[in-house]
Amino acid sequence: MKFPRALGTGIAVAAAALTLAGCAADEPAADASSSSATAVQAPPTNAQMKAEGADGLSATTYYYYEAVSYAQQTGKTEQMLAVTDDCAQCTETADAIAKVYADGGSIEGGQPKPQDVAPVGAVDEQGELSAVVPFMQDAQKTLDADGKVVDETEWDADGTTYTVTGRYADGQWKLTSLKETPDAKAPDAG
C-alpha cells in the first residue's frame, strides 16, 4: 500500500520537541494493544498549545507530529485529528494509518523528526498563522497481517520541508493545512 507523501517520506515533528519549557502535561494513556514489550504512551497535551501566538502554533504542530508517531505505532488516530480542522493532508495520513491497522497490519519506524517550526509573519485577522517546518523521518516499513513488508521507505538524509497553517479560535490552535513545500525557507531569525 502506498501512503500519502507526508506519511511515506516525511510526517513531521519529534517527541523531544515536546519538552518545551513550562509545559504542563496531561496524564498520558497507556496503549495495551501495542505489540512492543513496553506500552506505547499517548502523547500528552501541554499548556503552551493554548498560547495565542507563534508559540501556540509551534507547540500544537509538535504535538500533532507526536500524535502521528503514536498513531503509526498503535493505529489510533484520534489524538492527531483532535488538533486539526478541515486539514485534507492530515485526514489522508490518518486514514492511511488507520487502514493499515484495520487490515491487521502494522507500521515499523517512520517516526517524524521536525527540525524546527518557524512562524512566517504574524497571526492574521482570522486568527491564522503559517510556519515552515524543516523535516526528516526515520526509515519505515509497512507490514501486512502476515508480517510481510508491503511498503518500505528509506531514511532520506536530505529531508524535506513542510508548511503548516493553523487557526487560533476558542482558546486553541487547529491545523488547517499541511503541505510539503521543499523549496520553502524559514524566515531569518535576525
Side-chain angles (χ1 to χ4, degrees):
M1 155 179 259
K2 289 291 183 189
F3 287 102
R5 175 124 171 101
L7 181 60
T9 61
I11 298 184
V13 181
L18 277 178
T19 57
L20 299 168
C23 293
D26 294 338
E27 184 176 320
D31 179 354
S33 68
S34 173
S35 61
S36 64
T38 59
V40 176
Q41 299 290 314
T45 58
N46 63 76
Q48 191 66 31
M49 293 169 62
K50 294 188 181 288
E52 286 187 50
D55 289 344
L57 176 61
S58 179
T60 301
T61 301
Y62 282 119
Y63 173 84
Y64 169 79
Y65 285 109
E66 268 300 295
V68 169
S69 179
Y70 174 72
Q72 288 176 303
Q73 296 172 69
T74 65
K76 297 179 179 182
T77 61
E78 296 83 9
Q79 286 81 5
M80 64 184 281
L81 291 174
V83 293
T84 69
D85 183 24
D86 201 28
C87 174
Q89 183 66 51
C90 304
T91 302
E92 185 178 340
T93 299
D95 290 349
I97 293 169
K99 180 163 179 23
V100 168
Y101 282 87
D103 291 345
S106 62
I107 299 171
E108 293 180 357
Q111 276 61 50
K113 307 277 188 226
Q115 308 302 298
D116 192 12
V117 177
V120 178
V123 178
D124 69 16
E125 292 175 4
Q126 288 78 36
E128 292 188 348
L129 178 64
S130 292
V132 174
V133 182
F135 176 81
M136 299 178 96
Q137 179 177 340
D138 290 345
Q140 177 178 300
K141 290 181 183 178
T142 303
L143 309 172
D144 66 13
D146 297 324
K148 178 183 169 199
V149 176
V150 293
D151 191 30
E152 189 169 8
T153 304
E154 296 298 321
W155 179 68
D156 178 2
D158 294 329
T160 191
T161 303
Y162 283 87
T163 298
V164 62
T165 302
R167 181 179 310 115
Y168 186 81
D170 301 323
Q172 63 183 345
W173 281 95
K174 295 280 187 166
L175 303 185
T176 58
S177 175
L178 176 66
K179 295 180 182 175
E180 185 174 17
T181 53
D183 296 328
K185 303 288 184 221
D188 291 332

